[in-house]
Amino acid sequence: MDFRIKTSNIALLYKGAAEQFNSLPAFATRESALKWKPVSYKELYEQGLNLATGIIELGVKARDHVGLFGDNRFEWILSDYAVQLSGAADVPRGRDLSDEELYYIIDHAGIEVAFVETEKLQNRLFALKNRLPDLREIIVYDPKAKIAQGAKSLAEVYALGESLREKGDRRAEERIENIKPDDLFTLIYTSGTTGTPKGVMLTHANMISQVNTLPGDHNMNDRVLSVLPIWHIFERVVEMYTISFGGCTYYSSISNLGEDMRNIEPTFMASAPRLWEKLHERIIKNIKASHPVRQILFHIAYFLSRQYTVSQYYMTNKYLKLKHEPIWKRVLFMPFHFLRWTLVVPWYGFFNAAVLERIRLGAGGSLKATISGGGALPMHIDRFFNFVGIPVLEGYGMTETSPVISCRSNDNLVLGTVGPPLSDTEIQIVDPETEAIIYPNAKRAHNGKGLRGEIWVKGPQVMKGYYREPELTQSTLVDGWLRTGDLGMMTHNNCLKILGRSKATIVLSSGENVEPEPLEMKILQSSYIEQIMLVGQDRKFLGALVVPSLNEFRQVGFTEKTVKDLSENPATYHKIKEEIRLMVSASNGFKKYEQIRDFKILSDSFQVGHELTNLFKLKRHVVSDKFGHVINDLFSKELTKN
Amino acid sequence: MEFNTQLLYNHDQALLAIMIFVIMLGMGASLTVDDFKAVVRKPRGVFIGFLSQFGLMPLIAFTLATVLNFPPAFAISLILIGCLPGGTTSNMFTYFSRGSVALSISMTTASTILALLMMPILLKLYTGGFINQITASLQASDSGAEFVIPTGNIISSLVMILVPVALGMWLKRKSPDWAKTAEDTAGFVAILVILYLLGTAFIRHGGLFAQTPWQVYVGAVGLGLSGFLFGYWFSRLLGMFPIFQRAVSLETGIQNGPVSFAVILLSFAEPVQSQMLWLAILYSTFIVMTSSFITLYYRNTGKFDYNIHKNTVIHNRLFGSDYVTHYPEGFLPARLLKDPSQGSSPSQRRG
């Protein structure tokens, strides 16, 4: 029997889940490591109806925009329920935005009613209020907050709605009936990697299409760990998806992640590459600290698993197929892989059970899958987890596509790619200069597979447009095709491979194009380098801004206590120079113009909310602006030489 | 068939002794005093397991040996294997077959201790006929000697086996890191030594494989498989739920191979020793393969009930021990609905 809920809008999804899953836990919040507070599907829906009635009474009309400013906590999802059940759309953001952004969003979206998480945020809004005449109501989540004159606490609005519903108020039910698939579900302002915030309009139909087509086999027994920012579209879709199959979402946080993973033993989660990098670092550290015999056992286990998995991938056609493989080649290689697989399998079986399982237990041991999104997963991290048997599935998407465009599934796990496009999604690879279609193109060999270009997407998840930005919408969305601005190619086994952001491309003064991301990822394999950004647009050679890893340097005997002190030590410079040279050399297959000729060591690391997005992606333009003088300094030698 | 050559040379015997020591040390390193206490706290499952291990398994061995018309030395060896306690191998297989590891560990600890009492009794009970055959053939040939089951030796070798186990438990208290190493190494060593023994047997006595009657192969494979099958249904008959059924099944079928090597080497002499050892080696080899397949099978079929069990355990861990998980009607199969570990009523925390 299929218990998945399929509806035409998110409000009906909430309602259906309450009827279907009833007293099963929907969300759980942490009080302490082993004490969590669950709320059932039915309770949540009823509470949502009460709060919805409360905000309807406050004057929220159908299709209004209601602000939700806060981070992961139960009240957030409750107020999201209320907004959806009142037929309105929400405008979500985390706490970490600047006053200017806050003002811009509230003004641009025409927000009249806003939920805020904390007292501090409430006060910041009040300070902006004289510039925002339309903002009428501010509702505060935090029960401990001191409510300012003119604001309301969540409890107050909830009580208002509750008493109205007791008297027979059924306005919320009417609103739910009147939601159209094309109505906005959310309006998300992306600080993004570029420019001013843009309001991405996502509809109920967008969200429902994602909920229905995400790959995976999940049911009411699933435990889903939530650690990404709740207002990020990727995390939200995973939460909606979880509601559709009746799983329980557990709100964890980066600082408790390791502990929560062991206690909750999640079966599924949305994640970002950085989480896996951190986990990888921790695992490697533990292995290095363990008994020598066990280290050897681990290396044997990993070696065997690699032989086994690679051959398995080859035999099941799940390897990175950038070039067409003629039949004779396959006939030639198949027996080799079959033989290797057969020889390795009993040993792999034993070591997998005895050694690798312990490593999997570090991530709870029950993960069926985890989708990593919001940035490219470094190849060595990707390999590591898939070889030890933690299926990290990389997905690809953007806020504008709500967000998943393509995703690996357990049946379609091709390392190095972001999997096949979702079932009802069309992909075109287009020449960014001439806009000629490269894939699918019957005139080209193999229909244009294996050729690189800009990725264009068409499908039910593509946004309605940018709010109040018709020109921007027109230039991004042409005939239903969304221009992603990402470079990629279709592999010969129909998976999408991302090759960098076309806008991140560094064009050297010699005219050579350099994709910085793969290079950066390669260099980041050095444990001495914490963060790096390549620079060199319109310059003669490539340069880099580097943040050294304090831990690693201290481990090899450096005594500096801060990154700043470290950056001033000349020995640091020499060590990093050596490391970069090791990672990017002609013998590694890098071209001459891809060599990093010089770099500067920064005195502080890149921070989330400043130089990094919430998903730890570099905001290149922010870094370039902030460190403009450093970059100029870096290339000044170039001037003096000439 | 004739076993006129000695199966093992002295250095092989030494190697085997080291292997037994390492494995039993690893077994001890995986046990805690709490595991023994758990047996007393929840005796029902362990009792059913006991009936299955010491009631069913020796009977299966005896029946197989009789039906397949085993030569007497092989028959005694097969019955001896049938009476063995469980080892840590079964715990690992139970873990991967999504069975109750707690029950498997309890059964291993209980049976290791109880074997001191049960093995001599059971051997006396089942081997009588075969002993007479051996004695008859001995008397017919020359010496007029009488063959007896060396009960005293068996008990003392079982006690000797417990020494490295206790040592392992002590090691775990002293240095958890070393204990983990011992645990990880043990399985690996076992596989290497068994492969070495098979390899050398093949090289030195190439004819051995061909000389061994087909019935012996059937018995060596069939003993484990029958143990799995009967253990599974026997425990079901007594009202156990799937995760425990899988534990009992594997614990019944998988015997502690190294203990059989120790008992045979320390208690029996030629002309029966080599034959008995040969069967023990065959059993140990085949059991790894059959258990792997059975584990894969259980792992798949048990996925659903195990996931529900796991979810209940975690709900109780995080939401309080009195939290009840109610699934919609039709989601749980009727049988699981009655299972206290499956979410329909408050459950105790179970591994």
Side-chain angles (χ1 to χ4, degrees):
Chain A
M1 213 199 298
D2 189 15
F3 288 89
R4 280 282 288 279
I5 295 174
K6 305 227 160 158
T7 59
S8 60
N9 67 53
I10 294 295
L12 286 177
L13 174 72
Y14 292 166
K15 187 177 175 210
E19 285 160 4
Q20 174 88 278
F21 306 125
N22 208 322
S23 74
L24 281 177
F27 289 89
T29 42
R30 190 184 207 263
E31 287 172 1
S32 65
L34 288 175
K35 194 161 184 289
W36 289 65
K37 196 167 170 286
V39 57
S40 75
Y41 277 98
K42 198 171 172 215
E43 286 163 353
L44 182 57
Y45 179 64
E46 276 163 10
Q47 291 176 14
L49 283 175
N50 287 339
L51 190 58
T53 309
I55 61 172
I56 291 172
E57 185 65 20
L58 291 185
V60 171
K61 299 182 290 300
R63 294 170 198 89
D64 269 3
H65 300 157
V66 178
L68 300 187
F69 300 107
D71 289 305
N72 300 25
R73 64 190 286 160
F74 170 68
E75 286 86 349
W76 197 99
I77 193 75
L78 177 62
S79 54
D80 173 63
Y81 256 68
V83 173
Q84 301 309 327
L85 297 177
S86 66
D90 54 48
V91 183
R93 265 310 284 270
R95 280 193 313 250
D96 69 336
L97 73 182
S98 69
D99 281 352
E100 254 338 281
E101 281 175 294
L102 197 57
Y103 166 76
Y104 183 88
I105 290 172
I106 293 174
D107 180 58
H108 191 263
I111 290 172
E112 297 177 13
V113 176
F115 287 89
V116 294
E117 183 176 358
T118 57
E119 186 181 328
K120 206 172 147 198
L121 205 54
Q122 162 200 274
N123 297 342
R124 280 172 62 195
L125 267 193
F126 267 100
L128 294 170
K129 217 178 164 195
N130 53 352
R131 287 163 67 199
L132 295 164
D134 291 340
L135 182 62
R136 286 186 290 111
E137 301 282 354
I138 295 171
I139 305 166
V140 187
Y141 290 156
D142 189 356
K144 285 181 234 117
K146 217 175 109 231
I147 306 297
Q149 181 80 37
K152 292 186 173 64
S153 72
L154 184 89
E156 191 184 338
V157 181
Y158 181 85
L160 173 71
E162 194 178 25
S163 71
L164 282 170
R165 278 193 72 80
E166 272 166 16
K167 286 178 208 139
D169 187 319
R170 290 294 175 267
R171 280 179 289 178
E173 275 87 344
E174 287 166 29
R175 293 277 179 90
I176 298 171
E177 289 307 312
N178 287 320
I179 297 172
K180 308 270 180 302
D182 199 36
D183 283 348
L184 289 199
F185 158 78
T186 190
L187 180 56
I188 295 182
Y189 282 82
T190 56
S191 65
T193 12
T194 45
T196 49
K198 292 172 288 189
V200 178
M201 297 191 286
L202 297 178
T203 65
H204 284 274
N206 288 149
M207 292 302 283
I208 292 292
S209 82
Q210 291 271 298
V211 168
N212 291 346
T213 51
L214 278 181
D217 175 23
H218 302 280
N219 63 36
M220 287 164 247
N221 289 321
D222 276 277
R223 294 172 299 279
V224 183
L225 201 70
S226 158
V227 62
L228 297 183
I230 192 173
W231 50 271
H232 192 277
I233 189 64
F234 178 38
E235 175 64 30
R236 277 185 95 183
V237 156
V238 169
E239 287 186 15
M240 301 294 124
Y241 176 55
T242 305
I243 290 173
S244 81
F245 59 73
C248 180
T249 300
Y250 296 80
Y251 283 131
S252 180
S253 61
I254 301 266
S255 49
N256 299 326
L257 186 60
E259 187 179 41
D260 288 348
M261 271 187 147
R262 285 188 296 275
N263 287 332
I264 295 166
E265 307 181 26
T267 56
F268 187 57
M269 67 187 284
S271 56
R274 186 79 194 123
L275 297 181
W276 298 107
E277 283 173 30
K278 281 210 158 137
L279 193 61
H280 174 256
E281 220 169 80
R282 210 178 66 210
I283 293 171
I284 295 294
K285 212 170 164 187
N286 286 345
I287 291 168
K288 278 186 182 156
S290 70
H291 195 276
V293 177
R294 290 175 63 211
Q295 283 186 40
I296 295 169
L297 290 177
F298 171 78
H299 287 296
I300 299 174
Y302 187 76
F303 172 79
L304 289 169
S305 177
R306 200 171 138 175
Q307 308 297 316
Y308 167 85
T309 320
V310 168
S311 282
Q312 171 111 332
Y313 286 160
Y314 186 86
M315 291 190 294
T316 51
N317 204 13
K318 285 196 279 191
Y319 62 103
L320 188 56
K321 241 178 169 176
L322 299 182
K323 285 189 192 127
H324 176 69
E325 190 188 33
I327 300 260
W328 62 265
K329 237 181 179 173
R330 212 165 155 71
V331 170
L332 207 66
F333 285 126
M334 195 60 117
F336 161 74
H337 282 286
F338 180 73
L339 193 68
R340 181 164 84 166
W341 188 88
T342 335
L343 285 177
V344 162
V345 88
W347 302 99
Y348 162 75
F350 171 75
F351 278 95
N352 181 39
V355 183
L356 297 182
E357 178 70 7
R358 271 220 187 97
I359 293 180
R360 291 194 286 267
L361 286 179
S366 298
L367 273 178
K368 289 179 190 168
T370 158
I371 303 182
S372 171
L377 192 64
M379 193 62 183
H380 68 286
I381 304 280
D382 197 358
R383 282 210 189 111
F384 178 84
F385 283 106
N386 282 294
F387 288 165
V388 300
I390 297 178
V392 177
L393 309 177
E394 195 174 359
Y396 163 66
M398 50 206 295
T399 308
E400 284 84 341
T401 55
S402 32
V404 185
I405 294 172
S406 74
C407 185
R408 291 184 213 157
S409 65
N410 281 325
D411 304 325
N412 232 321
L413 215 166
V414 182
L415 297 192
T417 74
V418 292
L422 293 187
S423 57
D424 44 8
T425 304
E426 287 176 74
I427 294 280
Q428 275 184 353
I429 306 291
V430 176
D431 186 324
E433 315 269 300
T434 63
E435 299 198 351
I437 297 169
I438 297 173
Y439 168 91
N441 185 344
K443 282 184 200 140
R444 289 181 181 260
H446 310 295
N447 210 14
K449 285 174 191 169
L451 298 173
R452 109 200 215 138
E454 188 182 350
I455 302 166
W456 290 11
V457 186
K458 192 181 211 169
Q461 73 272 56
V462 172
M463 64 166 180
K464 206 172 171 179
Y466 294 110
Y467 186 57
R468 288 172 55 193
E469 301 273 7
E471 281 170 20
L472 188 60
T473 305
Q474 265 177 20
S475 65
T476 318
L477 254 177
V478 183
D479 301 329
W481 288 101
L482 180 88
R483 305 176 169 197
T484 63
D486 289 320
L487 295 177
M489 65 163 71
M490 213 56 175
T491 66
H492 284 266
N493 38 4
N494 296 319
C495 290
L496 197 59
K497 178 161 177 63
I498 308 299
L499 299 159
R501 174 114 190 117
S502 60
K503 284 166 197 161
T505 313
I506 297 171
V507 185
L508 298 174
S509 59
S510 55
E512 306 279 16
N513 284 339
V514 180
E515 289 307 325
E517 273 150 340
L519 273 165
E520 287 166 2
M521 252 183 244
K522 179 74 197 165
I523 296 170
L524 282 174
Q525 284 180 19
S526 158
S527 53
Y528 290 95
I529 297 169
E530 178 96 31
Q531 288 160 326
I532 187 166
M533 187 178 114
L534 297 193
V535 290
Q537 179 69 33
D538 302 321
R539 310 276 185 175
K540 281 203 155 166
F541 57 83
L542 266 188
L545 302 177
V546 178
V547 179
S549 165
L550 190 60
N551 274 340
E552 200 61 36
F553 273 97
R554 284 178 63 88
Q555 271 185 12
V556 295
F558 284 67
T559 53
E560 280 80 1
K561 291 209 169 56
T562 62
V563 177
K564 188 170 186 304
D565 294 346
L566 196 62
S567 70
E568 282 156 12
N569 183 346
T572 313
Y573 181 88
H574 289 295
K575 181 71 203 165
I576 286 180
K577 187 165 188 173
E578 193 187 314
E579 287 290 306
I580 292 181
R581 195 173 286 164
L582 215 64
M583 292 295 167
V584 183
S585 62
S587 60
N588 280 350
F590 288 98
K591 302 194 180 66
K592 200 170 172 219
Y593 62 83
E594 287 176 320
Q595 314 286 328
I596 286 118
R597 285 239 221 124
D598 204 352
F599 59 90
K600 287 278 174 192
I601 299 175
L602 299 180
S603 56
D604 201 356
S605 55
F606 298 144
Q607 302 292 333
V608 170
H610 298 279
E611 294 93 341
L612 298 177
T613 69
N614 287 75
L615 296 177
F616 314 104
K617 206 152 74 173
L618 263 178
K619 296 185 195 168
R620 293 182 186 274
H621 66 288
V622 173
V623 179
S624 308
D625 287 351
K626 186 171 171 186
F627 298 100
H629 58 286
V630 182
I631 297 169
N632 282 333
D633 200 4
L634 174 65
F635 292 105
S636 62
K637 284 181 209 155
E638 180 192 352
L639 294 175
T640 49
K641 263 184 211 161
N642 296 313
Chain B
M1 63 171 288
E2 284 296 316
F3 265 88
N4 38 23
T5 45
Q6 204 182 354
L7 183 64
L8 295 181
Y9 297 147
N10 284 340
H11 62 268
D12 296 328
Q13 294 206 7
L15 200 66
L16 208 54
I18 292 170
M19 161 190 137
I20 294 165
F21 181 82
V22 170
I23 291 178
M24 297 318 275
L25 190 77
M27 175 170 168
S30 71
L31 292 177
T32 60
V33 179
D34 278 343
D35 294 325
F36 288 89
K37 289 185 187 155
V39 176
V40 188
R41 248 184 278 123
K42 280 191 210 140
R44 185 172 174 270
V46 180
F47 183 66
I48 294 174
F50 167 80
L51 290 181
S52 184
Q53 275 179 296
F54 290 116
L56 277 179
M57 199 58 176
L59 188 63
I60 293 170
F62 173 76
T63 314
L64 276 176
T66 312
V67 171
L68 292 170
N69 206 8
F70 261 40
F74 281 121
I76 294 170
S77 184
L78 195 72
I79 292 165
L80 177 84
I81 293 169
C83 303
L84 289 173
T88 34
T89 325
S90 60
N91 303 347
M92 194 168 95
F93 280 113
T94 302
Y95 175 85
F96 284 98
S97 70
R98 307 184 205 262
S100 168
V101 179
L103 178 61
S104 183
I105 292 176
S106 292
M107 283 173 69
T108 302
T109 41
S111 64
T112 305
I113 302 288
L114 286 168
L116 286 174
L117 181 69
M118 297 307 293
M119 270 182 75
I121 297 177
L122 289 167
L123 281 175
K124 264 227 153 66
L125 184 66
Y126 288 114
T127 54
F130 299 107
I131 286 172
N132 292 342
Q133 284 183 35
I134 295 180
T135 309
S137 70
L138 281 177
Q139 281 170 347
S141 60
D142 50 5
S143 57
E146 196 179 329
F147 180 77
V148 284
I149 290 283
T151 309
N153 285 355
I154 289 178
I155 294 179
S156 57
S157 49
L158 284 174
V159 172
M160 274 175 75
I161 281 290
L162 289 179
V163 173
V165 175
L167 211 62
M169 289 178 69
W170 174 80
L171 185 68
K172 183 166 191 163
R173 282 200 138 179
K174 279 281 160 196
S175 159
D177 199 33
W178 268 102
K180 267 192 178 163
T181 308
E183 224 184 308
D184 285 352
T185 321
F188 186 50
V189 168
I191 293 191
L192 281 185
V193 174
I194 287 180
L195 278 180
Y196 170 78
L197 292 177
L198 276 178
T200 49
F202 193 76
I203 293 162
R204 287 191 210 136
H205 323 282
L208 206 53
F209 289 90
Q211 280 172 32
T212 310
W214 63 268
Q215 288 98 331
V216 173
Y217 288 114
V218 173
V221 177
L223 181 64
L225 282 180
S226 318
F228 297 140
L229 185 72
F230 283 99
Y232 189 84
W233 290 103
F234 174 73
S235 54
R236 162 114 196 225
L237 212 65
L238 292 179
M240 281 191 139
F241 289 102
I243 56 167
F244 304 110
Q245 274 178 270
R246 292 193 286 273
V248 171
S249 165
L250 287 168
E251 192 73 26
T252 307
I254 304 174
Q255 306 289 55
N256 198 336
V259 173
S260 71
F261 295 144
V263 170
I264 293 169
L265 283 177
L266 295 171
S267 319
F268 292 88
E270 297 295 352
V272 290
Q273 194 194 53
S274 281
Q275 295 187 47
M276 289 183 74
L277 211 52
W278 180 232
L279 181 67
I281 293 174
L282 286 181
Y283 168 81
S284 301
T285 311
F286 288 124
I287 198 68
V288 176
M289 300 182 208
T290 50
S291 323
S292 300
F293 286 113
I294 290 286
T295 297
L296 282 179
Y297 173 74
Y298 282 163
R299 196 174 163 74
N300 267 320
T301 53
K303 204 177 197 171
F304 186 72
D305 73 78
Y306 182 76
N307 285 345
I308 294 173
H309 162 75
K310 191 94 200 205
N311 205 26
T312 305
V313 169
I314 288 162
H315 283 174
N316 287 341
R317 181 192 295 165
L318 302 177
F319 305 156
S321 52
D322 52 351
Y323 184 87
V324 184
T325 314
H326 286 293
Y327 293 98
E329 216 169 295
F331 182 63
L332 294 184
R335 197 166 104 79
L336 294 185
L337 210 56
K338 285 181 273 164
D339 185 344
S341 71
Q342 309 285 343
S344 49
S345 66
S347 73
Q348 299 91 38
R349 278 165 66 171
R350 292 182 198 169

